[in-house]
Amino acid sequence: MERILTKELHSHLNQSATLKGWVDVRRDHGKLMFVDLRDRSGTVQLVILPAHEEAYKAAQDIRAEWVIEIEGEVHARPEHMKNEKEDNGDVEIEVTALSVVSAAETLPFERNTEVNLDTLLDYRPLTLRNDRERRIFKVQSEIVNAYRDALRKRDFIEFQAPKIVGGDAEGGAHVFKIEYLNDKTAYLATSPQLYKQVMVGVYERVYSIGDVFRAEKHSTTRHLNEYTSLDAEMGFICDHTDIMDLLSDVLRDIISELKKSTKEVFDDFGVSLPKCPEKFPHMKLKEAQELIYKETKEDCRDEKDLAPEHERWLSEYAKKEYDSDFIFITHFPREKTAFYAYDDPEDEGYTKYFDLLFRGVELCSGGQRMHEYQKLKEKMVWKGLDPEKFEFYLQAFKYGMPPHGGWGMGLERLTQKFLNLENVKEATLFPREINRIDARLSESE
C-alpha cells in the first residue's frame, strides 16, 4: 500500500492507510497504547490494541524518535475525544501492522521541554525536532519564499554573489582572512554589495540571498559571525526614498504572506504580526538625536550612530506615535558610512543612507549609492582606500551606471524579531559565533 501523509488522512476516513514517521510521544493506558506519529506534514494519534497481536508485540519497545511504518484503519475520534488544538485532533488510526524502520536511543532531555540556550544548541540535531523549533524555521522558510516572490513580481532577477572576495566592501576590520591560490590573501565576504552594484549594470534590478561573514569578536543576543543576508539593488532611482518605499512594500508583502501561511505560529508564540502603516515613519539621524535629547535628556547629539538603547527608544516612540513597528533613520555622517554611500549635496557631510529599525534593533541598512566613476574614486581615496585594488568593480562605473541603491537585511534577526525571541541564535539553524561552531569552543559565553 502506498504511503500517505498525516495531512491527507481526512480523505481516507474508514479506509486502510500506510504511514511512516517518527514516534513523537508514547502513552500507555493499561493494555491500550497510544502513539503520536510525526511526519513532515503533521502528527496523528495511533491506537495500538492487543487484539492486533503482531502489531502490539512489535510496538512494545518503541519510544520517542523511533522511526516506524504502520498500516491501520482511519477512524473519526469519538466526539468527547476530539481536540481542536491538535493536528488531526478529530481522527485516529487503529494500527493493524507495525514495523520498526530505525531504533533510537533515549533522548538526553524530554522532547518539547524548555532547555537553556547551551543545551538547545549543543544538541541542535535533536532540538530542531521540537515543535517550537520546527515552527521557528517554518516561519523563516516562509519569509524567504515571500521575499523572493515580492521581488520577482517587481521584475527583480536573483543572482548568486561570491563568498570569497579580494577586498572588503565595507572597508572595515572585521573580516575573515583566508589563504588563497598562489599565496594570495582573500577574505570571506561581509556583503554582496559590490557585486549587487555590478549586476545593476546588467539587469537593473537584482537581489541575492546568501551567507555573509563578520569577524566580530563579541557574543551578544543580536550578533552572529555568519548569517543570511537578504539583499536587493535597483537602478534608475531618484534618491534613497525610492529604496525606502520599495523595502516598505516588500516587508508588507512578507507580513501579508506570513498572515496566510503561519498565523497559527504567531498565535502559539503569543506574538502579533508587525504593524505596517501605509508610509513608514522616518527622520534624519540629527532629528532623532534631538528628539531623544528633548524627551529623555540623554545627549547623543555628537554621536555618529545610534546606541542600542536609543534604537529601542525610537522603536517604542514609532509604535506609540505612528502605530508602526518600523521607523527609518536617514542621513548618517559621511565618516560613518561606506565609500559607496551617496553624499547629499543639500546636507553637507551627510549621506543618503538609512537604517530601518524594527522592534528595537537595526534590521536593515541601505540607501542610494554613488554612480559617477570619478566621484566614486575620489570618495574611495577620501576613505583611505586604494582605487587600484577595486579596479574590477570600478569597470562597471567607468562604462556607465545609472543612479541606484538597495539594502541588506539579516534573515535571522528578522525571524528573531518577528517571533520575539530573546536571542538571534534561536532563529539560526546552526549558529556560528565567537564561542561556537557546532559545539561550544569554550566554557565561557
Side-chain angles (χ1 to χ4, degrees):
M1 194 181 300
E2 187 177 347
R3 177 200 185 195
I4 68 166
L5 297 173
T6 56
K7 69 177 181 180
E8 302 168 316
L9 287 168
H10 287 88
S11 62
H12 290 74
L13 276 174
N14 301 315
Q15 299 176 32
S16 293
T18 297
L19 290 92
K20 300 178 184 181
W22 288 263
V23 173
D24 215 41
V25 179
R26 169 182 168 161
R27 300 178 298 278
D28 292 337
H29 293 279
K31 292 186 177 181
L32 283 179
M33 189 185 305
F34 294 92
V35 170
D36 291 344
L37 180 76
R38 181 182 82 244
D39 65 16
R40 70 177 187 269
S41 69
T43 60
V44 67
Q45 178 174 276
L46 311 179
V47 182
I48 306 174
L49 304 168
H52 302 291
E53 188 175 342
E54 291 299 318
Y56 190 76
K57 182 178 179 183
Q60 292 306 303
D61 294 329
I62 64 173
R63 297 291 187 274
E65 298 309 308
W66 285 48
V67 183
I68 61 173
E69 177 179 346
I70 67 100
E71 291 181 15
E73 298 291 329
V74 183
H75 300 302
R77 286 196 200 183
E79 197 63 36
H80 69 284
M81 297 292 289
K82 292 181 178 179
N83 189 338
E84 294 180 356
K85 296 181 179 179
E86 291 181 2
D87 277 348
N88 295 304
D90 57 348
V91 299
E92 63 185 12
I93 300 178
E94 182 181 337
V95 176
T96 56
L98 184 150
S99 60
V100 173
V101 177
S102 177
E105 295 186 15
T106 302
L107 288 169
F109 47 82
E110 191 174 341
R111 276 199 79 248
N112 290 325
T113 56
E114 187 174 345
V115 295
N116 64 40
L117 186 63
D118 284 341
T119 301
L120 183 76
L121 300 179
D122 287 346
Y123 294 98
R124 202 55 162 164
L126 306 181
T127 58
L128 284 172
R129 300 183 184 186
N130 287 340
D131 292 346
R132 177 180 181 272
E133 276 61 50
R134 283 160 53 87
R135 289 174 181 147
I136 289 170
F137 294 104
K138 174 65 161 47
V139 168
Q140 190 167 95
S141 174
E142 294 298 330
I143 291 171
V144 172
N145 289 339
Y147 184 76
R148 276 198 171 96
D149 290 345
L151 289 168
R152 284 169 63 88
K153 76 180 185 182
R154 292 175 173 88
D155 208 24
F156 280 71
I157 289 179
E158 184 172 5
F159 80 101
Q160 304 302 318
K163 307 302 184 286
I164 297 176
V165 298
D168 174 33
E170 308 300 329
H174 299 306
V175 294
F176 288 103
K177 291 184 179 181
I178 57 174
E179 291 184 6
Y180 199 53
L181 301 178
N182 298 324
D183 297 323
K184 300 294 184 183
T185 299
Y187 308 88
L188 293 180
T190 61
S191 164
Q193 180 58 45
L194 306 189
Y195 300 96
K196 285 192 299 178
Q197 292 181 265
V198 167
M199 294 303 291
V200 166
V202 181
Y203 293 119
E204 292 187 23
R205 295 184 168 201
V206 295
Y207 73 97
S208 70
I209 301 171
D211 289 353
V212 296
F213 305 86
R214 303 287 173 102
E216 296 167 328
K217 296 184 177 181
H218 53 235
S219 179
T220 74
T221 60
R222 51 191 272 171
H223 288 96
L224 296 163
N225 292 125
E226 178 184 354
Y227 67 90
T228 304
S229 188
L230 307 175
D231 284 85
E233 204 80 9
M234 175 172 76
F236 297 99
I237 64 171
C238 292
D239 61 18
H240 62 295
T241 61
D242 289 344
I243 303 301
M244 291 161 59
D245 290 344
L246 173 64
L247 176 56
S248 302
D249 288 343
V250 168
L251 285 166
R252 266 190 288 270
D253 281 5
I254 291 172
I255 291 163
S256 176
E257 288 302 314
L258 291 178
K259 188 174 183 179
K260 296 176 192 174
S261 63
T262 56
K263 172 76 164 52
E264 73 284 354
V265 178
F266 286 83
D267 293 341
D268 290 344
F269 278 63
V271 180
S272 59
L273 285 157
K275 296 275 190 177
C276 291
E278 187 173 338
K279 192 84 171 175
F280 288 7
H282 61 89
M283 61 181 71
K284 292 183 177 182
L285 176 65
K286 290 182 292 186
E287 296 169 341
Q289 291 169 330
E290 286 290 349
L291 179 64
I292 291 166
Y293 179 66
K294 176 184 174 183
E295 297 292 330
T296 71
K297 303 308 177 189
E298 291 186 35
D299 194 354
C300 58
R301 292 173 294 180
D302 290 333
E303 299 298 323
K304 308 295 184 187
D305 201 353
L306 292 168
E309 61 268 24
H310 297 142
E311 292 176 346
R312 290 190 289 270
W313 187 90
L314 288 165
S315 292
E316 291 168 5
Y317 178 84
K319 188 69 176 290
K320 180 176 66 176
E321 296 295 325
Y322 302 103
D323 197 27
S324 173
D325 279 306
F326 300 92
I327 181 170
F328 284 106
I329 307 300
T330 72
H331 287 77
F332 286 78
R334 200 171 191 247
E335 312 92 86
K336 160 70 172 60
T337 53
F339 70 83
Y340 47 77
Y342 195 93
D343 296 328
D344 190 341
E346 297 180 3
D347 200 343
E348 184 67 31
Y350 291 86
T351 60
K352 294 185 176 185
Y353 177 98
F354 63 76
D355 281 351
L356 177 61
L357 307 184
F358 173 51
R359 290 181 173 172
V361 300
E362 174 199 318
L363 174 66
C364 177
S365 296
Q368 183 175 357
R369 325 298 190 186
M370 300 190 71
H371 64 280
E372 296 166 288
Y373 175 67
Q374 198 57 44
K375 288 183 178 179
L376 182 56
K377 286 181 67 176
E378 290 169 5
K379 183 80 173 286
M380 282 181 167
V381 172
W382 184 81
K383 277 282 189 178
L385 299 173
D386 181 359
E388 288 188 8
K389 293 183 178 178
F390 292 85
E391 272 303 314
F392 184 84
Y393 159 76
L394 287 170
Q395 291 177 73
F397 300 85
K398 192 173 185 178
Y399 295 95
M401 281 286 282
H404 63 282
W407 68 73
M409 177 165 57
L411 172 62
E412 292 82 0
R413 189 177 287 186
L414 179 58
T415 309
Q416 176 198 4
K417 301 312 290 186
F418 267 151
L419 292 174
N420 197 28
L421 306 176
E422 288 187 11
N423 197 308
V424 70
K425 298 175 191 67
E426 296 177 67
T428 310
L429 274 171
F430 304 104
R432 269 74 175 123
E433 50 94 33
I434 193 170
N435 293 314
R436 176 179 297 281
I437 296 179
D438 288 325
R440 279 170 286 172
L441 302 179
S442 69
E443 291 303 314
S444 61
E445 288 286 332

